[in-house]
Amino acid sequence: PKAEDNFAINQTDVITKGFDQLFGVIAIVGWIIGGFSLLVGGFGIANIMFVSVKERTRIIGIQKSLGAKNYFILLQFLFESVFLSLMGGIVGLIIVFILAFSVSQAFDMNLTLTQGNIFLGIFVSALIGFVSGLVPAWNASRLDPVEAMRSTF
């Protein structure tokens, strides 16, 4: 009776600490995988935009010869890259929502997609689209109109 209580049958603190460590490792791995996904997606969008600029070189030359300013061409391609990235981000959010709903229904868990996470996903998607499309848009806006129209693709 005078011995110290050194057992934890009714204490969930040990299990909670174990789960906290497990979820911490899962969060770090998730951030690493997400970072690589964003990097690959950014390169994909940049590649699409470089091809888009190359295919529309004559159109850019015609637009510039008719009086389009450099900032108009720049904004045109930046809008396209941000829109492309946002569409991918929204599709990703829909997939995450469906998966969270499915897991919540299948198991007795409450997984939710918060507004903060939704806004963060949309903001990061737009930022990746902006950064990935900046160089191709800059190159498109700096094309010489005569040389662009003379391009043979």
Side-chain angles (χ1 to χ4, degrees):
K2 294 183 182 181
E4 181 181 338
D5 291 337
N6 59 0
F7 54 90
I9 294 175
N10 293 331
Q11 295 178 356
T12 59
D13 191 35
V14 175
I15 297 172
T16 304
K17 285 181 184 178
F19 278 130
D20 287 344
Q21 288 177 347
L22 176 68
F23 288 135
V25 169
I26 290 172
I28 291 171
V29 169
W31 278 104
I32 292 171
I33 292 171
F36 282 126
S37 298
L38 290 175
L39 185 67
V40 169
F43 279 121
I45 291 171
N47 190 18
I48 290 169
M49 294 310 299
F50 276 119
V51 170
S52 180
V53 168
K54 186 68 175 168
E55 287 179 350
R56 294 192 283 182
T57 302
R58 281 189 171 181
I59 296 170
I60 295 167
I62 292 170
Q63 284 179 331
K64 291 187 87 167
S65 68
L66 291 174
K69 302 290 184 193
N70 287 346
Y71 72 88
F72 177 77
I73 304 294
L74 179 85
L75 290 177
Q76 179 182 359
F77 281 96
L78 276 179
F79 176 79
E80 184 178 337
S81 68
V82 169
F83 185 77
L84 179 66
S85 182
L86 280 175
M87 288 299 105
I90 290 170
V91 168
L93 282 172
I94 290 170
I95 291 170
V96 167
F97 179 76
I98 290 170
L99 287 174
F101 181 76
S102 299
V103 169
S104 293
Q105 295 300 316
F107 303 105
D108 195 23
M109 301 173 105
N110 187 15
L111 293 178
T112 58
L113 196 58
T114 64
Q115 285 183 350
N117 287 339
I118 292 170
F119 290 134
L120 179 66
I122 289 173
F123 176 75
V124 169
S125 293
L127 183 67
I128 293 297
F130 179 80
V131 170
S132 298
L134 193 57
V135 172
W138 182 265
N139 290 345
S141 70
R142 298 294 172 208
L143 288 174
D144 181 40
V146 175
E147 291 297 321
M149 288 190 313
R150 198 178 294 165
S151 172
T152 57
F153 183 75

